[in-house]
Amino acid sequence: MISTYNDAINWMLNRTKFGIVPGLQRMEEMLLRLDQPHHHIKAIHVAGTNGKGSTISYIQSILLEAGYKVGTFTSPYIIDYREQIMFCGEMIGKEDFIMLVNKMKPIVEEVEKLPCGAPTEFEILTTMAFYYFGQVQEHDIFLVEVGLGGLEDCTNVITPLISIITSIGHDHHQILGNSIEEITVQKAGIIKKGIPTITAELKEEALNIIQKMAIKNESTLFEFDKQFKAIDLYGQDHECFNFVSQQNKFEQIEISMIGQHQIRNASCAIMAIELLTDTYGFQVTEKELKSGLKKAYREGRLEKISTEPMILIDGAHNIEGIQSLVESIKSHFNQHDITIVFSALKDKDVIEMVELLQNITNNIIMTTFDFPRAMSHEELIHIAETLNVDYEINFKEAIEKNVKKIQKNGILLLTGSLYFISDVRKYLVNKHN
């Protein structure tokens, strides 16, 4: 029996040694021993390369504003491990977390003796979330973010009310494939028979596959720029747009998260709310929808940590994320002198990511951090010298040296891996607030 929160966290983190193993058999074995809790949840399932977490934040914020009880399962965490399982905008309590770990421990020990092998940390965490909302915590809706891919992701044991596929890009090549088509087949694997699907994807090669999967599964497909669209009104320190669908028109919608991609994410959320109200009996007023969207917030997404000096952090962890970041900086901060401290995992397209960042500044400092998949010191130095950019092995020193150099019109932007951003945010919040 695990009795302390630290012991519970350590037990979970010890499971990271089993890595990422696609497939559903271990999930099915664990859920079977818990009396199939995932059959008792009302879920929205969200897949995509970028935008999953933000889309969930928008839906959550709207429904909380309308008085609904909302559970969420998202990853990775930025501040606290427990934020991956939340209820009504709050992390589950430490006592509940300990209870869930104790519930899972004997089941995991039993399943790992089977031919399917040892459950991974993410599979256990996912099962904990399904058990919590399926057996413990009453809820009106449960928002579930895919961990990796979709088809063979461990969340893909549910039959949701709605499936959402955000934007699709190149990521996790070693598991999902090298082409957009291969990756889309995995993402579109969450489309279920007779369940409506919403997508923000714009690339024709990806849309073709999503459309075919929707037809095959008799799923009504709602595509951004077709069945619903957004008209950008170009806000200064926020985004402002009109939303138009086949049934609704909402004008002067404001969102606090910056970027054209956030308008698409918010539009997907509005479309999901429309389906919840039209098909499943939810009630949300226009005032609640607009207020929820404006309040929606997600740490590490072009988040302002400090005003003087201005420090921004953004978890742009792949090429498409960096492209969106560059567009957002050009749109909202083009009058500022930008200094970037950047770190990515070694299995990412680091060189291309840095080359994209060079479109907004030549003042880039590469660094690394303490994480198993982070760049080693040798890899960092080699890539930095190849790109002819500066490097600093200790990210804290990189921050401190460059904070001192920021002028009145300057911005220090820290970006890259979400795991890096998590470490950076903890350091900055403690140091500069």
Side-chain angles (χ1 to χ4, degrees), residues 377-393:
H377 294 175
E378 293 77 15
E379 288 166 328
L380 167 66
I381 293 168
H382 172 70
I383 294 172
E385 289 179 345
T386 299
L387 290 165
N388 195 29
V389 299
D390 293 334
Y391 65 88
E392 182 67 57
I393 288 171

Side-chain angles (χ1 to χ4, degrees), residues 24 43 54 63-64 72 78 93 121 134 138 143 151 172 217 220 254 276 281 286-287 291 305 308 322 357 367 404 421:
L24 302 179
S54 297
L63 291 175
L64 289 178
T72 61
I78 298 294
E121 178 231 4
E138 288 186 14
L143 312 177
L151 181 64
H172 301 290
N217 287 283
T220 304
E254 295 182 11
L276 286 177
E286 181 175 342
K287 182 179 178 182
S291 178
I305 297 295
E308 293 183 1
I322 293 288
L357 290 172
T367 189
K404 293 173 183 175
I421 292 304

Side-chain angles (χ1 to χ4, degrees), residues 215-373:
I215 292 169
K216 179 181 177 182
N217 287 283
E218 299 173 357
S219 167
T220 304
L221 181 61
F222 297 86
E223 299 178 40
F224 182 81
D225 264 351
K226 291 185 181 176
Q227 286 77 21
F228 66 103
K229 61 181 63 180
I231 301 160
D232 193 351
L233 301 178
Y234 300 102
Q236 289 298 313
D237 57 352
H238 60 277
E239 303 295 350
C240 186
F241 65 98
N242 295 340
F243 172 89
V244 182
S245 71
Q246 293 167 329
Q247 295 191 44
N248 289 303
K249 181 176 182 180
F250 301 118
E251 297 184 334
Q252 297 287 328
I253 295 170
E254 295 182 11
I255 54 175
S256 300
M257 290 190 276
I258 293 172
Q260 290 292 306
H261 58 295
Q262 292 295 359
I263 292 177
R264 293 192 295 274
N265 295 335
S267 297
C268 281
I270 299 170
M271 192 66 238
I273 297 298
E274 185 175 302
L275 291 180
L276 286 177
T277 55
D278 290 351
T279 309
Y280 299 108
F282 283 65
Q283 295 185 344
V284 179
T285 66
E286 181 175 342
K287 182 179 178 182
E288 289 163 345
L289 183 140
K290 287 184 174 180
S291 178
L293 286 170
K294 191 170 184 178
K295 289 180 181 178
Y297 171 76
R298 194 161 179 84
E299 291 85 358
R301 273 63 173 185
L302 254 185
E303 180 185 4
K304 187 186 291 185
I305 297 295
S306 169
T307 302
E308 293 183 1
M310 188 179 290
I311 302 174
L312 304 175
I313 62 172
D314 189 78
H317 58 282
N318 51 41
I319 290 170
E320 284 75 16
I322 293 288
Q323 287 171 334
S324 294
L325 172 61
V326 168
E327 290 172 8
S328 299
I329 294 295
K330 286 180 176 179
S331 296
H332 293 273
F333 302 102
N334 66 327
Q335 300 301 315
H336 295 264
D337 296 323
I338 309 294
T339 299
I340 294 176
V341 175
F342 169 83
S343 186
L345 302 183
K346 59 187 174 186
D347 55 0
K348 302 289 183 173
D349 298 311
V350 177
I351 291 176
E352 189 171 347
M353 293 167 78
V354 173
E355 287 174 343
L356 285 167
L357 290 172
Q358 288 172 329
N359 288 313
I360 52 176
T361 182
N362 290 320
N363 195 6
I364 298 174
I365 301 91
M366 291 185 64
T367 189
T368 190
F369 62 111
D370 185 17
F371 189 73
R373 289 162 54 206

Side-chain angles (χ1 to χ4, degrees), residues 34-91:
L34 290 167
D35 197 25
Q36 309 288 18
H38 59 305
H39 291 165
H40 305 293
I41 58 177
K42 292 176 286 186
I44 294 178
H45 202 190
V46 185
T49 306
N50 296 299
K52 301 186 295 292
S54 297
T55 301
I56 284 175
S57 292
Y58 289 125
I59 299 171
Q60 171 189 250
S61 188
I62 294 167
L63 291 175
L64 289 178
E65 198 73 7
Y68 288 99
K69 297 175 181 176
V70 185
T72 61
F73 177 62
T74 60
S75 61
Y77 64 94
I78 298 294
I79 302 171
D80 188 293
Y81 191 90
R82 288 174 294 132
E83 77 193 49
Q84 295 172 105
I85 305 174
M86 300 185 78
F87 179 61
C88 291
E90 301 290 337
M91 293 181 285

Side-chain angles (χ1 to χ4, degrees), residues 404-430:
K404 293 173 183 175
K405 295 178 183 177
I406 298 175
Q407 302 298 315
K408 188 174 182 180
N409 196 44
I411 292 176
L412 178 61
L413 170 63
L414 299 115
T415 188
S417 164
L418 281 168
Y419 298 101
F420 172 60
I421 292 304
S422 177
D423 284 358
V424 161
R425 193 183 189 283
K426 290 188 186 80
Y427 175 72
L428 286 172
V429 168
N430 291 332

